[in-house]
Amino acid sequence: MSSVIALRRAALFLTAAAGVLLLTLPHAQAQWWKRAPVDFEECADAAEKAATKAEKTSALANCNAKFAGRRKPGGGYSYYDFLQDRTFDIAGPNPTPEEQKKIDEAYTAYLARERRNNEAAQATARQQREQQEQQARQLQQVALQTETERVRVPVPIERPKVQQTVGQRKGAPCTKGSFSCEWPRLSESLNDLKKLFNPAPSKPAKKS
């Protein structure tokens, strides 16, 4: 009797186990078909099958946040860092800690290069501005010097015509009452007075 009871209990246990297996098998198959996507492209394909546009947009945003890498045509993945505007090759759909460290180091070097380039550009602009200011000062000095020299040079004045007194040409114009016109008559009057007070001595008569 004990052996029969043991066999019955074993049969009941096997029957129950088979029932549980049959009940869980469809659920396991459904979980296999609904497995999580392995990369962005597979996630995006699943998002495209969403029922509504809002669900699709939300699913694509979730894919973008979950996977940073993108498939490469020849295999592998690439990661685009928009801060550096540069693409890095990575092994999987997301950068590993070592790959992320290299990306961060590259970003630090990128910032240093940008800072040096900005400093060089500012120095060049400052030098050009100083040169322009120096040229403007030089032009201003030349203009001021030219204006000063122009003021210092005397304006040529026409020389006055010398009026002839003694030996003046006959018929030459003469201003009445001027010394140059009266002097010849005064000179003749003085000569007449000298002859009056100082008569010329008479010549002695010649002896025969």
Side-chain angles (χ1 to χ4, degrees), residues 78-115:
S78 64
Y79 170 76
Y80 173 72
D81 187 359
F82 68 94
L83 295 176
Q84 306 179 57
D85 191 19
R86 178 182 173 186
T87 302
F88 296 87
D89 291 336
I90 55 178
N94 285 307
T96 63
E98 185 65 23
E99 291 171 342
Q100 188 63 51
K101 181 180 178 181
K102 292 181 179 179
I103 294 172
D104 294 340
E105 291 175 350
Y107 181 63
T108 301
Y110 168 80
L111 291 179
R113 288 194 305 271
E114 288 294 310
R115 183 174 60 254

PDB file of all heavy atoms in Angstrom, residues 78-115:
ATOM      1  N   SER A  78      29.822  54.144 -33.778  1.00  0.00           N
ATOM      2  CA  SER A  78      30.479  55.454 -33.687  1.00  0.00           C
ATOM      3  C   SER A  78      29.685  56.337 -32.738  1.00  0.00           C
ATOM      4  O   SER A  78      28.462  56.216 -32.628  1.00  0.00           O
ATOM      5  CB  SER A  78      30.580  56.120 -35.060  1.00  0.00           C
ATOM      6  OG  SER A  78      29.288  56.390 -35.578  1.00  0.00           O
ATOM      7  N   TYR A  79      30.411  57.230 -32.056  1.00  0.00           N
ATOM      8  CA  TYR A  79      29.791  58.151 -31.104  1.00  0.00           C
ATOM      9  C   TYR A  79      30.100  59.579 -31.537  1.00  0.00           C
ATOM     10  O   TYR A  79      31.264  59.938 -31.739  1.00  0.00           O
ATOM     11  CB  TYR A  79      30.324  57.897 -29.695  1.00  0.00           C
ATOM     12  CG  TYR A  79      29.924  58.962 -28.690  1.00  0.00           C
ATOM     13  CD1 TYR A  79      28.641  58.999 -28.163  1.00  0.00           C
ATOM     14  CD2 TYR A  79      30.830  59.930 -28.284  1.00  0.00           C
ATOM     15  CE1 TYR A  79      28.271  59.962 -27.252  1.00  0.00           C
ATOM     16  CE2 TYR A  79      30.466  60.904 -27.369  1.00  0.00           C
ATOM     17  CZ  TYR A  79      29.187  60.919 -26.851  1.00  0.00           C
ATOM     18  OH  TYR A  79      28.821  61.878 -25.954  1.00  0.00           O
ATOM     19  N   TYR A  80      29.062  60.386 -31.707  1.00  0.00           N
ATOM     20  CA  TYR A  80      29.237  61.777 -32.127  1.00  0.00           C
ATOM     21  C   TYR A  80      29.139  62.689 -30.904  1.00  0.00           C
ATOM     22  O   TYR A  80      28.121  62.706 -30.202  1.00  0.00           O
ATOM     23  CB  TYR A  80      28.174  62.176 -33.147  1.00  0.00           C
ATOM     24  CG  TYR A  80      28.204  63.646 -33.501  1.00  0.00           C
ATOM     25  CD1 TYR A  80      29.230  64.171 -34.288  1.00  0.00           C
ATOM     26  CD2 TYR A  80      27.221  64.510 -33.019  1.00  0.00           C
ATOM     27  CE1 TYR A  80      29.258  65.523 -34.602  1.00  0.00           C
ATOM     28  CE2 TYR A  80      27.246  65.857 -33.334  1.00  0.00           C
ATOM     29  CZ  TYR A  80      28.269  66.357 -34.121  1.00  0.00           C
ATOM     30  OH  TYR A  80      28.305  67.693 -34.418  1.00  0.00           O
ATOM     31  N   ASP A  81      30.221  63.435 -30.656  1.00  0.00           N
ATOM     32  CA  ASP A  81      30.250  64.399 -29.560  1.00  0.00           C
ATOM     33  C   ASP A  81      29.985  65.784 -30.153  1.00  0.00           C
ATOM     34  O   ASP A  81      30.852  66.363 -30.818  1.00  0.00           O
ATOM     35  CB  ASP A  81      31.614  64.356 -28.856  1.00  0.00           C
ATOM     36  CG  ASP A  81      31.631  65.210 -27.600  1.00  0.00           C
ATOM     37  OD1 ASP A  81      30.602  65.848 -27.300  1.00  0.00           O
ATOM     38  OD2 ASP A  81      32.678  65.252 -26.921  1.00  0.00           O
ATOM     39  N   PHE A  82      28.786  66.302 -29.923  1.00  0.00           N
ATOM     40  CA  PHE A  82      28.428  67.586 -30.529  1.00  0.00           C
ATOM     41  C   PHE A  82      29.216  68.735 -29.916  1.00  0.00           C
ATOM     42  O   PHE A  82      29.371  69.791 -30.538  1.00  0.00           O
ATOM     43  CB  PHE A  82      26.931  67.835 -30.369  1.00  0.00           C
ATOM     44  CG  PHE A  82      26.481  68.075 -28.960  1.00  0.00           C
ATOM     45  CD1 PHE A  82      26.381  69.367 -28.468  1.00  0.00           C
ATOM     46  CD2 PHE A  82      26.168  67.012 -28.124  1.00  0.00           C
ATOM     47  CE1 PHE A  82      25.969  69.595 -27.165  1.00  0.00           C
ATOM     48  CE2 PHE A  82      25.757  67.243 -26.816  1.00  0.00           C
ATOM     49  CZ  PHE A  82      25.659  68.526 -26.336  1.00  0.00           C
ATOM     50  N   LEU A  83      29.744  68.572 -28.685  1.00  0.00           N
ATOM     51  CA  LEU A  83      30.543  69.639 -28.078  1.00  0.00           C
ATOM     52  C   LEU A  83      31.852  69.858 -28.840  1.00  0.00           C
ATOM     53  O   LEU A  83      32.354  70.986 -28.921  1.00  0.00           O
ATOM     54  CB  LEU A  83      30.844  69.301 -26.615  1.00  0.00           C
ATOM     55  CG  LEU A  83      29.629  69.251 -25.676  1.00  0.00           C
ATOM     56  CD1 LEU A  83      30.049  68.802 -24.295  1.00  0.00           C
ATOM     57  CD2 LEU A  83      28.952  70.615 -25.621  1.00  0.00           C
ATOM     58  N   GLN A  84      32.411  68.782 -29.392  1.00  0.00           N
ATOM     59  CA  GLN A  84      33.648  68.884 -30.158  1.00  0.00           C
ATOM     60  C   GLN A  84      33.409  68.867 -31.657  1.00  0.00           C
ATOM     61  O   GLN A  84      34.348  69.085 -32.427  1.00  0.00           O
ATOM     62  CB  GLN A  84      34.593  67.726 -29.799  1.00  0.00           C
ATOM     63  CG  GLN A  84      34.882  67.577 -28.329  1.00  0.00           C
ATOM     64  CD  GLN A  84      35.801  66.408 -28.046  1.00  0.00           C
ATOM     65  OE1 GLN A  84      36.920  66.325 -28.570  1.00  0.00           O
ATOM     66  NE2 GLN A  84      35.346  65.475 -27.209  1.00  0.00           N
ATOM     67  N   ASP A  85      32.143  68.565 -32.055  1.00  0.00           N
ATOM     68  CA  ASP A  85      31.821  68.378 -33.469  1.00  0.00           C
ATOM     69  C   ASP A  85      32.759  67.333 -34.067  1.00  0.00           C
ATOM     70  O   ASP A  85      33.400  67.536 -35.091  1.00  0.00           O
ATOM     71  CB  ASP A  85      31.924  69.702 -34.230  1.00  0.00           C
ATOM     72  CG  ASP A  85      31.354  69.605 -35.634  1.00  0.00           C
ATOM     73  OD1 ASP A  85      30.579  68.675 -35.893  1.00  0.00           O
ATOM     74  OD2 ASP A  85      31.725  70.449 -36.487  1.00  0.00           O
ATOM     75  N   ARG A  86      32.810  66.172 -33.401  1.00  0.00           N
ATOM     76  CA  ARG A  86      33.757  65.123 -33.778  1.00  0.00           C
ATOM     77  C   ARG A  86      33.138  63.761 -33.480  1.00  0.00           C
ATOM     78  O   ARG A  86      32.340  63.619 -32.555  1.00  0.00           O
ATOM     79  CB  ARG A  86      35.059  65.288 -32.996  1.00  0.00           C
ATOM     80  CG  ARG A  86      36.097  64.225 -33.277  1.00  0.00           C
ATOM     81  CD  ARG A  86      37.334  64.441 -32.425  1.00  0.00           C
ATOM     82  NE  ARG A  86      38.274  63.343 -32.554  1.00  0.00           N
ATOM     83  CZ  ARG A  86      39.391  63.213 -31.841  1.00  0.00           C
ATOM     84  NH1 ARG A  86      39.700  64.142 -30.936  1.00  0.00           N
ATOM     85  NH2 ARG A  86      40.194  62.194 -32.009  1.00  0.00           N
ATOM     86  N   THR A  87      33.502  62.751 -34.293  1.00  0.00           N
ATOM     87  CA  THR A  87      32.997  61.395 -34.143  1.00  0.00           C
ATOM     88  C   THR A  87      34.108  60.481 -33.641  1.00  0.00           C
ATOM     89  O   THR A  87      35.244  60.557 -34.113  1.00  0.00           O
ATOM     90  CB  THR A  87      32.447  60.870 -35.478  1.00  0.00           C
ATOM     91  OG1 THR A  87      31.405  61.744 -35.936  1.00  0.00           O
ATOM     92  CG2 THR A  87      31.878  59.476 -35.320  1.00  0.00           C
ATOM     93  N   PHE A  88      33.766  59.611 -32.691  1.00  0.00           N
ATOM     94  CA  PHE A  88      34.718  58.647 -32.126  1.00  0.00           C
ATOM     95  C   PHE A  88      34.216  57.232 -32.410  1.00  0.00           C
ATOM     96  O   PHE A  88      33.009  56.969 -32.345  1.00  0.00           O
ATOM     97  CB  PHE A  88      34.853  58.843 -30.613  1.00  0.00           C
ATOM     98  CG  PHE A  88      35.423  60.169 -30.208  1.00  0.00           C
ATOM     99  CD1 PHE A  88      34.595  61.263 -30.042  1.00  0.00           C
ATOM    100  CD2 PHE A  88      36.783  60.321 -29.993  1.00  0.00           C
ATOM    101  CE1 PHE A  88      35.113  62.492 -29.671  1.00  0.00           C
ATOM    102  CE2 PHE A  88      37.308  61.542 -29.611  1.00  0.00           C
ATOM    103  CZ  PHE A  88      36.475  62.635 -29.450  1.00  0.00           C
ATOM    104  N   ASP A  89      35.135  56.330 -32.709  1.00  0.00           N
ATOM    105  CA  ASP A  89      34.804  54.916 -32.900  1.00  0.00           C
ATOM    106  C   ASP A  89      34.714  54.237 -31.537  1.00  0.00           C
ATOM    107  O   ASP A  89      35.602  54.394 -30.683  1.00  0.00           O
ATOM    108  CB  ASP A  89      35.863  54.222 -33.751  1.00  0.00           C
ATOM    109  CG  ASP A  89      35.832  54.701 -35.199  1.00  0.00           C
ATOM    110  OD1 ASP A  89      34.773  55.180 -35.644  1.00  0.00           O
ATOM    111  OD2 ASP A  89      36.878  54.616 -35.878  1.00  0.00           O
ATOM    112  N   ILE A  90      33.635  53.492 -31.325  1.00  0.00           N
ATOM    113  CA  ILE A  90      33.451  52.740 -30.081  1.00  0.00           C
ATOM    114  C   ILE A  90      33.092  51.307 -30.438  1.00  0.00           C
ATOM    115  O   ILE A  90      32.654  51.019 -31.550  1.00  0.00           O
ATOM    116  CB  ILE A  90      32.360  53.370 -29.188  1.00  0.00           C
ATOM    117  CG1 ILE A  90      31.051  53.509 -29.957  1.00  0.00           C
ATOM    118  CG2 ILE A  90      32.811  54.735 -28.661  1.00  0.00           C
ATOM    119  CD1 ILE A  90      29.910  54.094 -29.119  1.00  0.00           C
ATOM    120  N   ALA A  91      33.272  50.408 -29.457  1.00  0.00           N
ATOM    121  CA  ALA A  91      33.066  48.988 -29.740  1.00  0.00           C
ATOM    122  C   ALA A  91      31.592  48.608 -29.714  1.00  0.00           C
ATOM    123  O   ALA A  91      31.137  47.780 -30.509  1.00  0.00           O
ATOM    124  CB  ALA A  91      33.838  48.139 -28.727  1.00  0.00           C
ATOM    125  N   GLY A  92      30.810  49.197 -28.783  1.00  0.00           N
ATOM    126  CA  GLY A  92      29.413  48.804 -28.626  1.00  0.00           C
ATOM    127  C   GLY A  92      28.465  49.961 -28.845  1.00  0.00           C
ATOM    128  O   GLY A  92      28.862  51.047 -29.274  1.00  0.00           O
ATOM    129  N   PRO A  93      27.208  49.747 -28.524  1.00  0.00           N
ATOM    130  CA  PRO A  93      26.201  50.805 -28.729  1.00  0.00           C
ATOM    131  C   PRO A  93      26.375  51.997 -27.790  1.00  0.00           C
ATOM    132  O   PRO A  93      25.826  53.065 -28.049  1.00  0.00           O
ATOM    133  CB  PRO A  93      24.877  50.080 -28.479  1.00  0.00           C
ATOM    134  CG  PRO A  93      25.227  48.917 -27.619  1.00  0.00           C
ATOM    135  CD  PRO A  93      26.586  48.500 -28.014  1.00  0.00           C
ATOM    136  N   ASN A  94      27.139  51.816 -26.719  1.00  0.00           N
ATOM    137  CA  ASN A  94      27.448  52.900 -25.787  1.00  0.00           C
ATOM    138  C   ASN A  94      28.944  52.881 -25.468  1.00  0.00           C
ATOM    139  O   ASN A  94      29.561  51.799 -25.452  1.00  0.00           O
ATOM    140  CB  ASN A  94      26.640  52.759 -24.487  1.00  0.00           C
ATOM    141  CG  ASN A  94      25.188  53.148 -24.683  1.00  0.00           C
ATOM    142  OD1 ASN A  94      24.879  54.223 -25.177  1.00  0.00           O
ATOM    143  ND2 ASN A  94      24.279  52.254 -24.297  1.00  0.00           N
ATOM    144  N   PRO A  95      29.547  54.029 -25.212  1.00  0.00           N
ATOM    145  CA  PRO A  95      30.980  54.035 -24.882  1.00  0.00           C
ATOM    146  C   PRO A  95      31.239  53.314 -23.562  1.00  0.00           C
ATOM    147  O   PRO A  95      30.480  53.439 -22.600  1.00  0.00           O
ATOM    148  CB  PRO A  95      31.317  55.532 -24.770  1.00  0.00           C
ATOM    149  CG  PRO A  95      30.205  56.251 -25.456  1.00  0.00           C
ATOM    150  CD  PRO A  95      28.994  55.389 -25.271  1.00  0.00           C
ATOM    151  N   THR A  96      32.328  52.562 -23.541  1.00  0.00           N
ATOM    152  CA  THR A  96      32.772  51.942 -22.296  1.00  0.00           C
ATOM    153  C   THR A  96      33.414  53.021 -21.414  1.00  0.00           C
ATOM    154  O   THR A  96      33.713  54.123 -21.892  1.00  0.00           O
ATOM    155  CB  THR A  96      33.785  50.832 -22.591  1.00  0.00           C
ATOM    156  OG1 THR A  96      34.947  51.421 -23.206  1.00  0.00           O
ATOM    157  CG2 THR A  96      33.191  49.787 -23.526  1.00  0.00           C
ATOM    158  N   PRO A  97      33.631  52.754 -20.130  1.00  0.00           N
ATOM    159  CA  PRO A  97      34.294  53.748 -19.272  1.00  0.00           C
ATOM    160  C   PRO A  97      35.648  54.196 -19.817  1.00  0.00           C
ATOM    161  O   PRO A  97      35.992  55.378 -19.737  1.00  0.00           O
ATOM    162  CB  PRO A  97      34.431  53.015 -17.931  1.00  0.00           C
ATOM    163  CG  PRO A  97      33.274  52.045 -17.930  1.00  0.00           C
ATOM    164  CD  PRO A  97      33.142  51.602 -19.342  1.00  0.00           C
ATOM    165  N   GLU A  98      36.404  53.270 -20.388  1.00  0.00           N
ATOM    166  CA  GLU A  98      37.703  53.633 -20.951  1.00  0.00           C
ATOM    167  C   GLU A  98      37.524  54.522 -22.188  1.00  0.00           C
ATOM    168  O   GLU A  98      38.252  55.512 -22.371  1.00  0.00           O
ATOM    169  CB  GLU A  98      38.481  52.364 -21.331  1.00  0.00           C
ATOM    170  CG  GLU A  98      39.892  52.621 -21.815  1.00  0.00           C
ATOM    171  CD  GLU A  98      40.793  53.210 -20.741  1.00  0.00           C
ATOM    172  OE1 GLU A  98      40.495  53.019 -19.546  1.00  0.00           O
ATOM    173  OE2 GLU A  98      41.788  53.869 -21.099  1.00  0.00           O
ATOM    174  N   GLU A  99      36.553  54.173 -23.035  1.00  0.00           N
ATOM    175  CA  GLU A  99      36.284  54.996 -24.208  1.00  0.00           C
ATOM    176  C   GLU A  99      35.771  56.382 -23.811  1.00  0.00           C
ATOM    177  O   GLU A  99      36.142  57.397 -24.417  1.00  0.00           O
ATOM    178  CB  GLU A  99      35.274  54.283 -25.108  1.00  0.00           C
ATOM    179  CG  GLU A  99      35.829  53.038 -25.783  1.00  0.00           C
ATOM    180  CD  GLU A  99      34.754  52.226 -26.482  1.00  0.00           C
ATOM    181  OE1 GLU A  99      33.559  52.412 -26.170  1.00  0.00           O
ATOM    182  OE2 GLU A  99      35.097  51.394 -27.350  1.00  0.00           O
ATOM    183  N   GLN A 100      34.915  56.428 -22.786  1.00  0.00           N
ATOM    184  CA  GLN A 100      34.406  57.717 -22.319  1.00  0.00           C
ATOM    185  C   GLN A 100      35.534  58.584 -21.758  1.00  0.00           C
ATOM    186  O   GLN A 100      35.546  59.815 -21.937  1.00  0.00           O
ATOM    187  CB  GLN A 100      33.337  57.487 -21.247  1.00  0.00           C
ATOM    188  CG  GLN A 100      32.606  58.757 -20.831  1.00  0.00           C
ATOM    189  CD  GLN A 100      31.839  59.379 -21.977  1.00  0.00           C
ATOM    190  OE1 GLN A 100      31.059  58.702 -22.651  1.00  0.00           O
ATOM    191  NE2 GLN A 100      32.048  60.671 -22.201  1.00  0.00           N
ATOM    192  N   LYS A 101      36.508  57.952 -21.112  1.00  0.00           N
ATOM    193  CA  LYS A 101      37.657  58.694 -20.585  1.00  0.00           C
ATOM    194  C   LYS A 101      38.455  59.328 -21.719  1.00  0.00           C
ATOM    195  O   LYS A 101      38.870  60.491 -21.633  1.00  0.00           O
ATOM    196  CB  LYS A 101      38.548  57.754 -19.769  1.00  0.00           C
ATOM    197  CG  LYS A 101      39.751  58.436 -19.156  1.00  0.00           C
ATOM    198  CD  LYS A 101      40.585  57.442 -18.360  1.00  0.00           C
ATOM    199  CE  LYS A 101      41.824  58.123 -17.789  1.00  0.00           C
ATOM    200  NZ  LYS A 101      42.670  57.161 -17.025  1.00  0.00           N
ATOM    201  N   LYS A 102      38.666  58.585 -22.793  1.00  0.00           N
ATOM    202  CA  LYS A 102      39.390  59.127 -23.942  1.00  0.00           C
ATOM    203  C   LYS A 102      38.612  60.276 -24.592  1.00  0.00           C
ATOM    204  O   LYS A 102      39.205  61.263 -25.030  1.00  0.00           O
ATOM    205  CB  LYS A 102      39.655  58.017 -24.960  1.00  0.00           C
ATOM    206  CG  LYS A 102      40.643  56.967 -24.483  1.00  0.00           C
ATOM    207  CD  LYS A 102      40.886  55.910 -25.548  1.00  0.00           C
ATOM    208  CE  LYS A 102      41.893  54.877 -25.071  1.00  0.00           C
ATOM    209  NZ  LYS A 102      42.134  53.821 -26.094  1.00  0.00           N
ATOM    210  N   ILE A 103      37.290  60.141 -24.654  1.00  0.00           N
ATOM    211  CA  ILE A 103      36.469  61.213 -25.226  1.00  0.00           C
ATOM    212  C   ILE A 103      36.578  62.474 -24.376  1.00  0.00           C
ATOM    213  O   ILE A 103      36.697  63.594 -24.897  1.00  0.00           O
ATOM    214  CB  ILE A 103      35.005  60.746 -25.346  1.00  0.00           C
ATOM    215  CG1 ILE A 103      34.890  59.615 -26.378  1.00  0.00           C
ATOM    216  CG2 ILE A 103      34.089  61.904 -25.731  1.00  0.00           C
ATOM    217  CD1 ILE A 103      33.535  58.950 -26.427  1.00  0.00           C
ATOM    218  N   ASP A 104      36.569  62.300 -23.050  1.00  0.00           N
ATOM    219  CA  ASP A 104      36.686  63.454 -22.152  1.00  0.00           C
ATOM    220  C   ASP A 104      38.070  64.110 -22.278  1.00  0.00           C
ATOM    221  O   ASP A 104      38.180  65.344 -22.246  1.00  0.00           O
ATOM    222  CB  ASP A 104      36.439  63.023 -20.708  1.00  0.00           C
ATOM    223  CG  ASP A 104      35.008  62.563 -20.488  1.00  0.00           C
ATOM    224  OD1 ASP A 104      34.134  62.925 -21.301  1.00  0.00           O
ATOM    225  OD2 ASP A 104      34.770  61.827 -19.511  1.00  0.00           O
ATOM    226  N   GLU A 105      39.109  63.297 -22.417  1.00  0.00           N
ATOM    227  CA  GLU A 105      40.453  63.851 -22.582  1.00  0.00           C
ATOM    228  C   GLU A 105      40.558  64.630 -23.896  1.00  0.00           C
ATOM    229  O   GLU A 105      41.194  65.689 -23.961  1.00  0.00           O
ATOM    230  CB  GLU A 105      41.488  62.728 -22.545  1.00  0.00           C
ATOM    231  CG  GLU A 105      41.645  62.092 -21.173  1.00  0.00           C
ATOM    232  CD  GLU A 105      42.585  60.895 -21.203  1.00  0.00           C
ATOM    233  OE1 GLU A 105      42.950  60.461 -22.337  1.00  0.00           O
ATOM    234  OE2 GLU A 105      42.946  60.388 -20.124  1.00  0.00           O
ATOM    235  N   ALA A 106      39.938  64.090 -24.940  1.00  0.00           N
ATOM    236  CA  ALA A 106      39.938  64.800 -26.219  1.00  0.00           C
ATOM    237  C   ALA A 106      39.182  66.121 -26.108  1.00  0.00           C
ATOM    238  O   ALA A 106      39.574  67.125 -26.718  1.00  0.00           O
ATOM    239  CB  ALA A 106      39.313  63.920 -27.307  1.00  0.00           C
ATOM    240  N   TYR A 107      38.110  66.138 -25.317  1.00  0.00           N
ATOM    241  CA  TYR A 107      37.353  67.386 -25.143  1.00  0.00           C
ATOM    242  C   TYR A 107      38.176  68.426 -24.375  1.00  0.00           C
ATOM    243  O   TYR A 107      38.127  69.623 -24.683  1.00  0.00           O
ATOM    244  CB  TYR A 107      36.057  67.094 -24.411  1.00  0.00           C
ATOM    245  CG  TYR A 107      35.193  68.310 -24.205  1.00  0.00           C
ATOM    246  CD1 TYR A 107      34.674  69.013 -25.290  1.00  0.00           C
ATOM    247  CD2 TYR A 107      34.905  68.769 -22.918  1.00  0.00           C
ATOM    248  CE1 TYR A 107      33.887  70.141 -25.111  1.00  0.00           C
ATOM    249  CE2 TYR A 107      34.115  69.892 -22.736  1.00  0.00           C
ATOM    250  CZ  TYR A 107      33.611  70.569 -23.826  1.00  0.00           C
ATOM    251  OH  TYR A 107      32.842  71.683 -23.649  1.00  0.00           O
ATOM    252  N   THR A 108      38.954  67.983 -23.391  1.00  0.00           N
ATOM    253  CA  THR A 108      39.828  68.899 -22.656  1.00  0.00           C
ATOM    254  C   THR A 108      40.869  69.514 -23.583  1.00  0.00           C
ATOM    255  O   THR A 108      41.136  70.724 -23.542  1.00  0.00           O
ATOM    256  CB  THR A 108      40.520  68.154 -21.501  1.00  0.00           C
ATOM    257  OG1 THR A 108      39.523  67.606 -20.628  1.00  0.00           O
ATOM    258  CG2 THR A 108      41.408  69.097 -20.697  1.00  0.00           C
ATOM    259  N   ALA A 109      41.473  68.671 -24.438  1.00  0.00           N
ATOM    260  CA  ALA A 109      42.447  69.192 -25.409  1.00  0.00           C
ATOM    261  C   ALA A 109      41.782  70.139 -26.400  1.00  0.00           C
ATOM    262  O   ALA A 109      42.377  71.143 -26.819  1.00  0.00           O
ATOM    263  CB  ALA A 109      43.117  68.025 -26.144  1.00  0.00           C
ATOM    264  N   TYR A 110      40.541  69.822 -26.765  1.00  0.00           N
ATOM    265  CA  TYR A 110      39.801  70.689 -27.692  1.00  0.00           C
ATOM    266  C   TYR A 110      39.566  72.068 -27.077  1.00  0.00           C
ATOM    267  O   TYR A 110      39.741  73.105 -27.745  1.00  0.00           O
ATOM    268  CB  TYR A 110      38.472  70.014 -28.029  1.00  0.00           C
ATOM    269  CG  TYR A 110      37.478  70.905 -28.731  1.00  0.00           C
ATOM    270  CD1 TYR A 110      37.571  71.157 -30.093  1.00  0.00           C
ATOM    271  CD2 TYR A 110      36.420  71.497 -28.022  1.00  0.00           C
ATOM    272  CE1 TYR A 110      36.653  71.977 -30.736  1.00  0.00           C
ATOM    273  CE2 TYR A 110      35.508  72.305 -28.658  1.00  0.00           C
ATOM    274  CZ  TYR A 110      35.620  72.542 -30.020  1.00  0.00           C
ATOM    275  OH  TYR A 110      34.719  73.355 -30.640  1.00  0.00           O
ATOM    276  N   LEU A 111      39.202  72.111 -25.815  1.00  0.00           N
ATOM    277  CA  LEU A 111      38.994  73.387 -25.135  1.00  0.00           C
ATOM    278  C   LEU A 111      40.290  74.195 -25.066  1.00  0.00           C
ATOM    279  O   LEU A 111      40.284  75.420 -25.237  1.00  0.00           O
ATOM    280  CB  LEU A 111      38.441  73.153 -23.729  1.00  0.00           C
ATOM    281  CG  LEU A 111      37.006  72.616 -23.637  1.00  0.00           C
ATOM    282  CD1 LEU A 111      36.619  72.406 -22.174  1.00  0.00           C
ATOM    283  CD2 LEU A 111      36.022  73.552 -24.314  1.00  0.00           C
ATOM    284  N   ALA A 112      41.420  73.506 -24.816  1.00  0.00           N
ATOM    285  CA  ALA A 112      42.706  74.206 -24.753  1.00  0.00           C
ATOM    286  C   ALA A 112      43.063  74.808 -26.109  1.00  0.00           C
ATOM    287  O   ALA A 112      43.547  75.946 -26.192  1.00  0.00           O
ATOM    288  CB  ALA A 112      43.795  73.241 -24.292  1.00  0.00           C
ATOM    289  N   ARG A 113      42.818  74.054 -27.188  1.00  0.00           N
ATOM    290  CA  ARG A 113      43.092  74.579 -28.530  1.00  0.00           C
ATOM    291  C   ARG A 113      42.201  75.771 -28.842  1.00  0.00           C
ATOM    292  O   ARG A 113      42.656  76.785 -29.398  1.00  0.00           O
ATOM    293  CB  ARG A 113      42.881  73.487 -29.584  1.00  0.00           C
ATOM    294  CG  ARG A 113      43.944  72.420 -29.594  1.00  0.00           C
ATOM    295  CD  ARG A 113      43.852  71.585 -30.866  1.00  0.00           C
ATOM    296  NE  ARG A 113      42.535  71.016 -31.048  1.00  0.00           N
ATOM    297  CZ  ARG A 113      42.168  69.829 -30.557  1.00  0.00           C
ATOM    298  NH1 ARG A 113      43.023  69.112 -29.840  1.00  0.00           N
ATOM    299  NH2 ARG A 113      40.957  69.351 -30.780  1.00  0.00           N
ATOM    300  N   GLU A 114      40.928  75.676 -28.487  1.00  0.00           N
ATOM    301  CA  GLU A 114      40.014  76.788 -28.732  1.00  0.00           C
ATOM    302  C   GLU A 114      40.432  78.031 -27.964  1.00  0.00           C
ATOM    303  O   GLU A 114      40.361  79.149 -28.481  1.00  0.00           O
ATOM    304  CB  GLU A 114      38.588  76.383 -28.336  1.00  0.00           C
ATOM    305  CG  GLU A 114      37.940  75.385 -29.279  1.00  0.00           C
ATOM    306  CD  GLU A 114      37.714  75.977 -30.659  1.00  0.00           C
ATOM    307  OE1 GLU A 114      37.152  77.072 -30.752  1.00  0.00           O
ATOM    308  OE2 GLU A 114      38.137  75.342 -31.653  1.00  0.00           O
ATOM    309  N   ARG A 115      40.900  77.850 -26.733  1.00  0.00           N
ATOM    310  CA  ARG A 115      41.338  78.996 -25.942  1.00  0.00           C
ATOM    311  C   ARG A 115      42.566  79.652 -26.566  1.00  0.00           C
ATOM    312  O   ARG A 115      42.644  80.882 -26.668  1.00  0.00           O
ATOM    313  CB  ARG A 115      41.642  78.551 -24.512  1.00  0.00           C
ATOM    314  CG  ARG A 115      42.027  79.703 -23.595  1.00  0.00           C
ATOM    315  CD  ARG A 115      42.172  79.249 -22.152  1.00  0.00           C
ATOM    316  NE  ARG A 115      43.187  78.221 -21.996  1.00  0.00           N
ATOM    317  CZ  ARG A 115      42.935  76.931 -21.788  1.00  0.00           C
ATOM    318  NH1 ARG A 115      41.682  76.511 -21.716  1.00  0.00           N
ATOM    319  NH2 ARG A 115      43.894  76.062 -21.657  1.00  0.00           N
TER     320      ARG A 115
END
